[in-house]
Amino acid sequence: MSWRPNHTQSVFVLIAAVVAFPFFGGASATTVMALGGLYAIVAIGLNLLVGYAGKISFGHNAFMALGAYASGILTVTYDWSPLAAMLAATAGSGLVAFVIGAPILRVRGHYLAMITLAFAQIVIIVSTRWTEVTGGLTGIPGVPDFSILGFAFDTKQKMYYLIWFVTIVLFLLSFRIVDSRFGRALRALGAHEAAAASLGVDVVRCRIQIFVLSAVYAALAGSLYAHFLNYVNGTFFDLSVMIQLMAILVVGGIGTLWGPLVGAVLLVWVSHSLGSYAEYSQLIFGVLYGGALLFLPRGAVGEIAARLKGTGSRLRSG
Amino acid sequence: MMDLLPVLLVNGVVFGAIYAINAIGIGLVYNTTGIINFAQGEFIMLGGMLTACLYGQAGLPLLVAIIGGVALTVVVGLLTERLFIRPLWRRGAKDWTYVFMLFAVATVLPNLVMLGVGRDPLTFPTFGGLPAVQLGSVTLSSQALWVLLVTVAVFFALQGFFDRTLLGKAMKATAINRRVAAWLGIAVEQMVAMSFGLAALLGAIGGVVFTPLISTQFDAGVSMTLNGFAAAIIGGMGNMRGAIVGGLVIGILQSISTAFISSVYGDAVTYAVLFGLLVVWPHGLFRPLIELKNEEI
């Protein structure tokens, strides 16, 4: 008789671990874990898109960039309050995602993947070259600390708690989404599009909604990133970030709720431990997720869940 | 301004040729598998880089280096299918898995090249043997002529292959309906392997004729993939004649936008056009060879 944690228990353990971590981990480890939380936010959204709706984006690094730049520019150049800037940044990015997704997601096949890749290239080109607005390669220094109603998140540790609070809220929200009517439609869509459509699922609308939602998650993470580092730079959001996100998804387990969270925490430490080998990060993450696709198709969480259920690891999926 | 136009057009046509070859390569893989090959541009980069290495560092004669570079790239293409695509195929993986996998290949290959060769752009001498051609006020260099001739030769060779040979017909049958092709005794897996080998061959040939014109470097593949994809979209996925037209359209557009709008945003303009095209004509100006069916990837 093996012990299986239920979801509520697992979530409480997660919250306890998140709260306790800074007291045991120390300052630099807390900073790393805060970055892990940021990646987890993007990965949770991407997981809904890829794992449940079966569509791919190679451009979520660009939505992070949009969120970060919008927050940076609005707070530094236009003196907006961080919260207002964050709301505008996420809403604006969602709108951009809608403009991209609405026409492309009507088409079958993986055109979204190619278009988002092209979109990300454009965003990176523009962000590093449009010097008057984005500061070019120098970026935007002096982004103020995040604050709500006069309470400033002025230390890395406070930001850590803010980031993980958002992460956990979005994580729980993803549970709700997956279990909702919308989530069931989404899963039907990922499993078999024609069948889903014939059962009355508005396939195109569903896909667009989930794409926009995932872009909003990414922009929110980008905005938090800008306040966390007090600095925005286009090179923070280049293709390497997207590759790391894909590694997080695949290693953690695509289409599992805990996968993005576990993947993000695991891989942020891999990334951190690279240190002076950071040059090889693309190579390492590429090999890591290519290998995981071949040898660990359900990802770490999918594999563990299957073992706990006692169905063995021979089940084929992914 | 207007006297620049002929030069830009000719330049655009030469660049368009490489995009056309790329679009045909993307179409070949798409036809047999329904997968968009995100690693197609890497084959172009590899063909150029490997040849440059064999010529410059190993000191081989140019012709031997070219043959070696092309052969090695084809091996990489075949290995990609064998090691990374076939296992997914056999376990019946979901379609996004292939896209992820090819993206991993497109990530790892340039990084390996960077480790082995470095970040510097490499090139090798022009082939020579053909005269430069004077077209009114524009001179078409000997290497540019090579690019155009090889593109035309590749086009007709492939047409002959698909129309005249049994193997080519079997590949075409696989493209049109995989299941029926299997019932007819066509070894579908081998056709898929063939399509990756051919795509790598096309990429390598493109890389080899093109590299003497502008040089190449480890990270040149992504924009090649995107431009080839744009050409393939305009031409209708898998439609060879369409791919040629699409390549020329993208090449000319890029050449003109680089000159008149901004060299910095040249690529951005192409991507913006690609996006606009997909919005207006998602299926391209020409009909694709096959419409993607739902139950197949």
Side-chain angles (χ1 to χ4, degrees):
Chain A
M1 187 64 196
S2 66
W3 175 75
R4 272 185 66 205
N6 66 31
H7 279 308
T8 322
Q9 286 165 341
S10 310
V11 170
F12 275 117
V13 170
L14 170 72
I15 292 173
V18 163
V19 170
F21 189 84
F23 297 105
F24 301 101
S28 92
T30 304
T31 308
V32 176
M33 286 301 277
L35 283 179
L38 289 173
Y39 273 104
I41 293 173
V42 191
I44 288 167
L46 261 180
N47 183 43
L48 290 175
L49 181 70
V50 182
Y52 292 89
K55 286 287 154 186
I56 301 173
S57 162
F58 288 145
H60 269 53
N61 55 330
F63 289 116
M64 288 174 81
L66 287 188
Y69 271 108
S71 267
I73 292 167
L74 290 176
T75 51
V76 174
T77 317
Y78 297 99
D79 271 330
W80 284 37
S81 79
L83 187 62
M86 179 179 280
L87 291 176
T90 47
S93 305
L95 191 65
V96 172
F98 178 77
V99 170
I100 293 175
I104 301 303
L105 286 168
R106 285 172 207 287
V107 187
R108 280 234 176 91
H110 283 297
Y111 289 4
L112 183 72
M114 198 61 96
I115 286 300
T116 46
L117 181 62
F119 168 68
Q121 299 285 68
I122 296 180
V123 168
I124 299 308
I125 291 173
V126 172
S127 70
T128 49
R129 308 241 165 100
W130 194 16
T131 315
E132 306 85 65
V133 175
T134 65
L137 286 172
T138 339
I140 305 169
V143 178
D145 291 321
F146 193 78
S147 60
I148 301 174
L149 304 171
F151 180 81
F153 293 85
D154 50 7
T155 65
K156 292 280 184 263
Q157 188 171 335
K158 286 179 192 164
M159 274 308 283
Y160 162 91
Y161 282 119
L162 175 66
I163 289 168
W164 274 96
F165 173 74
V166 174
T167 309
I168 290 172
V169 167
L170 295 183
F171 176 61
L172 295 177
L173 190 65
S174 77
F175 275 75
R176 301 284 307 200
I177 291 174
V178 169
D179 280 337
S180 69
R181 190 183 154 78
F182 176 61
R184 290 196 299 274
L186 211 61
R187 269 178 290 169
L189 190 60
H192 201 290
E193 208 177 291
S198 67
L199 290 172
V201 176
D202 187 341
V203 170
V204 173
R205 201 174 130 200
C206 243
R207 277 196 211 135
I208 296 172
Q209 283 172 338
I210 205 70
F211 178 61
V212 169
L213 184 73
S214 68
V216 165
Y217 278 27
L220 187 58
S223 174
L224 284 167
Y225 200 101
H227 291 291
F228 179 65
L229 294 181
N230 302 111
Y231 181 51
V232 184
N233 188 313
T235 55
F236 295 168
F237 306 105
D238 63 8
L239 200 57
S240 309
V241 172
M242 196 58 227
I243 292 165
Q244 190 169 342
L245 282 169
M246 290 162 73
I248 287 171
L249 285 182
V250 177
V251 171
I254 289 188
T256 65
L257 285 164
W258 286 80
L261 212 61
V262 171
V265 170
L266 283 176
L267 292 202
V268 78
W269 283 104
V270 172
S271 175
H272 178 71
S273 61
L274 288 179
S276 57
Y277 296 102
E279 202 189 350
Y280 305 126
S281 76
Q282 284 199 8
L283 181 65
I284 289 166
F285 284 119
V287 170
L288 206 60
Y289 91 77
L293 281 176
L294 283 179
F295 303 114
L296 198 69
R298 287 178 296 198
V301 170
E303 198 64 36
I304 292 168
R307 299 236 166 143
L308 287 179
K309 268 187 192 156
T311 47
S313 60
R314 295 298 117 203
L315 255 181
R316 295 180 163 201
S317 73
Chain B
M1 213 93 139
M2 286 325 271
D3 46 325
L4 252 178
L5 208 56
V7 181
L8 294 175
L9 278 180
V10 169
N11 250 335
V13 169
V14 174
F15 273 78
I18 190 88
Y19 300 150
I21 289 186
N22 221 358
I24 294 174
I26 289 175
L28 282 177
V29 171
Y30 182 83
N31 280 346
T32 48
T33 61
I35 305 169
I36 294 170
N37 181 9
F38 277 80
Q40 182 63 31
E42 309 307 326
F43 295 144
I44 296 212
M45 180 275 294
L46 268 187
M49 286 304 266
L50 289 172
T51 305
C53 281
L54 290 175
Y55 176 80
Q57 276 152 4
L60 295 174
L62 187 57
L63 185 65
V64 179
I66 288 174
I67 294 170
V70 171
L72 284 174
T73 308
V74 172
V75 170
V76 171
L78 290 172
L79 282 178
T80 301
E81 189 277 333
R82 191 66 221 236
L83 298 178
F84 307 125
I85 300 301
R86 198 174 292 188
L88 300 182
W89 186 275
R90 288 207 170 148
R91 82 167 187 239
K94 286 182 183 146
D95 55 352
W96 57 259
T97 321
Y98 298 91
V99 182
F100 264 51
M101 185 54 95
L102 285 165
F103 200 76
V105 172
T107 305
V108 170
L109 279 180
N111 277 287
L112 286 178
V113 169
M114 185 191 79
L115 279 184
V117 187
R119 294 171 167 275
D120 296 331
L122 292 182
T123 188
F124 45 87
T126 53
F127 300 173
L130 289 174
V133 179
Q134 196 67 32
L135 294 170
S137 60
V138 193
T139 316
L140 190 66
S141 74
S142 149
Q143 190 64 29
L145 195 58
W146 270 108
V147 171
L148 297 182
L149 285 179
V150 166
T151 306
V152 172
V154 160
F155 176 76
F156 284 110
L158 276 179
Q159 282 238 300
F161 173 70
F162 284 124
D163 289 345
R164 303 275 157 82
T165 69
L166 192 60
L167 195 56
K169 285 179 185 166
M171 270 184 86
K172 207 166 166 181
T174 310
I176 291 166
N177 192 321
R178 213 175 302 148
R179 203 166 298 159
V180 175
W183 289 339
L184 292 174
I186 294 170
V188 171
E189 274 190 350
Q190 282 172 30
M191 296 303 119
V192 173
M194 277 280 296
S195 71
F196 270 88
L198 265 180
L201 176 68
L202 285 183
I205 290 176
V208 161
V209 290
F210 207 62
T211 300
L213 278 181
I214 54 157
S215 82
T216 186
Q217 61 195 44
F218 75 98
D219 60 354
V222 179
S223 85
M224 279 294 174
T225 302
L226 284 169
N227 283 312
F229 176 73
I233 289 293
I234 297 178
M237 271 285 171
N239 180 330
M240 283 215 296
R241 251 168 262 172
I244 298 279
V245 177
L248 295 182
V249 169
I250 293 290
I252 291 170
L253 207 79
Q254 208 170 48
S255 147
I256 290 178
S257 66
T258 305
F260 291 134
I261 301 175
S262 150
S263 62
V264 174
Y265 295 119
D267 266 356
V269 169
T270 320
Y271 301 149
V273 168
L274 165 62
F275 175 66
L277 274 170
L278 268 182
V279 173
V280 186
W281 292 297
H283 297 293
L285 300 177
F286 297 81
R287 278 202 44 201
L289 181 59
I290 43 161
E291 302 284 351
L292 190 58
K293 288 165 217 75
N294 192 57
E295 41 288 278
E296 298 172 285
I297 44 159

